[in-house]
Amino acid sequence: MEEKEAKPLRHGYTTGSCAAAAAKAAVTALILQEPQRESAIRLPIGQEVTFLMHACEYEADRAMCEVIKDGGDDPDATHGARIVAEVRWRDGEGVEIDGGIGVGRVTKPGLPVDIGEAAINPVPRKMIRESVQAVLDSFELERGVRVVISVPDGEEIAKKTLNGRLGIIGGISILGTRGIVVPFSTAAYKASVAQAIRVAVKSGCTHIVLSTGGRSEKVAMGLYPDLPEEAFVEMGDFVGFALTMCARQGVRKVTLSGMMGKFSKVAQGVMMVHSKSAPVDFDFLASAAEQAGADPGTVEEIRGANTAAQVGDMMQERGLLAFFERLCAACCESGLREAKATYALETIIMSMKGVILGRTEKQGEA
């Protein structure tokens, strides 16, 4: 029986992209004192996208534009949210960015934004700043602008997210590293992963590299420059599914490439690593650290940590690299068991900056 061809997935756009588009339109409205119906921005992946404005208001010293967030074929809690950018002139030069109503504030360490700051992540901040500055430059204006991003229903939306547990209080986060939302949690995406693995095998690949995302894939490509492009497959959150598909296709070696957050779950046997599928088990991480030689104080600190990335930073700073080797070994064992695989399984855990923290390989039993 022939498999049905997977329907192409419709990408959505991140809250960061929406915020940048709204900010660009708002500063244009402020300068021209004219309503703006659309705003074109360049996404981090290099694609140019035009966003329609749901609302636009302006006065002599302020302007506001609003975008409705479209999550594509994998809508999350923020799908349909109103993303609002208000801009005002300020003294001096440069673009100042802050969060307003419905954008959370960071209260715990371990996140990419400092404590006390609005939960607008680094890439969206860069997108907003560059989009607004481009408008100022095009009008040859050397003036300062203050941008405030708000999400009117953000506090309510945040109840459907993990923000409260992460110490992000008062609303949602403005996120996105690529600018688009790729639907990772759909049957169609699983079909595309299976298809990519089949294509790799048919192309003669006996070693396949499975990554959780674009950054970890890029690092793996640097480690294996001789492998063809077909050998690299973005599995998203479907670790168990991808490993099983590799086993069924007779692959000889599989490399898992990813970061602390998702792979700390794989190490304990969780094979679907979406943020909502299972929380990080800090007791498990504390036990692994203890076995790696961490002192009792550090072990207790891990039990009370905010994110797996924070634990990784802690272990790296204290030179406890044996911790990462243990996690990698546990990932290999869990993966081989899940897939009932006879191939060699390698796990590489890296930092957010692409530094290799741990790397271990285990051979499956026939």
Side-chain angles (χ1 to χ4, degrees):
M1 187 175 178
E2 284 188 18
E3 288 188 27
K4 287 184 181 178
E5 189 176 339
K7 182 182 175 184
L9 298 174
R10 187 174 67 86
H11 290 171
Y13 298 99
T14 62
T15 47
S17 294
C18 295
K24 182 178 181 182
V27 77
T28 305
L30 178 61
I31 293 166
L32 295 178
Q33 292 291 289
E34 294 174 359
Q36 300 300 304
R37 293 182 176 83
E38 58 184 38
S39 174
I41 63 165
R42 184 169 291 279
L43 304 182
I45 57 169
Q47 179 183 346
E48 188 162 295
V49 177
T50 299
F51 290 78
L52 298 179
M53 295 301 113
H54 182 68
C56 180
E57 300 172 2
Y58 58 90
E59 299 168 18
D61 63 347
R62 67 170 286 278
M64 179 280 292
C65 284
E66 178 182 309
V67 171
I68 303 295
K69 197 236 183 189
D70 178 5
D73 280 342
D74 187 28
D76 62 9
T78 61
H79 178 65
R82 297 160 57 203
I83 311 297
V84 180
E86 182 185 71
V87 301
R88 293 179 182 268
W89 297 120
R90 71 180 186 90
D91 293 336
E93 295 181 23
V95 181
E96 182 183 285
I97 300 167
D98 202 358
I101 292 170
V103 172
R105 290 268 158 193
V106 175
T107 65
K108 292 183 181 179
L111 296 165
V113 177
D114 291 338
I115 291 174
E117 293 283 318
I120 304 173
N121 271 17
V123 172
R125 281 180 187 269
K126 184 171 184 281
M127 290 172 68
I128 294 165
R129 185 174 291 109
E130 289 179 353
S131 296
V132 170
Q133 191 61 52
V135 175
L136 294 173
D137 291 346
S138 70
F139 286 97
E140 299 182 1
L141 289 173
E142 295 182 0
R143 296 191 68 175
V145 174
R146 175 174 166 79
V147 181
V148 176
I149 305 299
S150 303
V151 183
D153 303 318
E155 195 159 2
E156 196 60 32
I157 295 169
K159 293 175 183 176
K160 301 173 186 175
T161 72
L162 293 174
N163 274 16
R165 188 174 62 79
L166 295 173
I168 299 169
I169 306 302
I172 67 166
S173 304
I174 304 298
L175 302 172
T177 55
R178 303 175 70 195
I180 60 171
V181 177
V182 180
F184 280 150
S185 58
T186 62
Y189 189 78
K190 287 174 76 172
S192 71
V193 171
Q195 184 177 0
I197 292 169
R198 284 196 294 270
V199 167
V201 170
K202 285 177 183 176
S203 299
C205 298
T206 58
H207 176 190
I208 290 180
V209 179
L210 302 172
S211 63
T212 52
R215 280 182 293 179
S216 51
E217 181 180 75
K218 187 176 179 182
V219 172
M221 284 178 165
L223 294 172
Y224 288 107
D226 296 334
L227 287 181
E229 191 177 13
E230 292 84 0
F232 296 89
V233 177
E234 271 195 54
M235 64 182 167
D237 296 322
F238 298 104
V239 180
F241 174 79
L243 288 172
T244 301
M245 284 302 302
C246 286
R248 289 177 184 171
Q249 292 292 319
V251 176
R252 291 181 201 164
K253 179 177 177 177
V254 176
T255 295
L256 291 175
S257 174
M259 298 177 195
M260 267 292 294
K262 295 183 187 296
F263 279 11
S264 66
K265 296 179 183 183
V266 175
Q268 49 186 302
V270 176
M271 292 291 151
M272 197 324 186
V273 295
H274 190 277
S275 60
K276 294 176 184 173
S277 64
V280 174
D281 186 339
F282 290 100
D283 286 335
F284 172 82
L285 294 180
S287 175
E290 190 172 28
Q291 292 167 22
D295 61 70
T298 298
V299 172
E300 281 310 303
E301 208 175 329
I302 291 170
R303 291 189 204 282
N306 188 30
T307 62
Q310 183 186 1
V311 174
D313 290 344
M314 201 186 301
M315 296 293 95
Q316 192 180 4
E317 287 164 7
R318 297 174 195 186
L320 291 168
L321 298 184
F323 168 81
F324 299 107
E325 297 301 325
R326 285 184 173 276
L327 278 193
C328 287
C331 287
C332 291
E333 289 159 7
S334 295
L336 290 168
R337 189 165 54 247
E338 170 74 14
K340 300 178 177 60
T342 57
Y343 51 61
L345 179 56
E346 176 188 39
T347 300
I348 301 168
I349 294 178
M350 64 195 68
S351 72
M352 296 282 278
K353 294 179 180 177
V355 176
I356 306 300
L357 301 173
R359 188 175 184 180
T360 301
E361 183 175 324
K362 286 188 176 288
Q363 179 65 49
E365 295 179 7

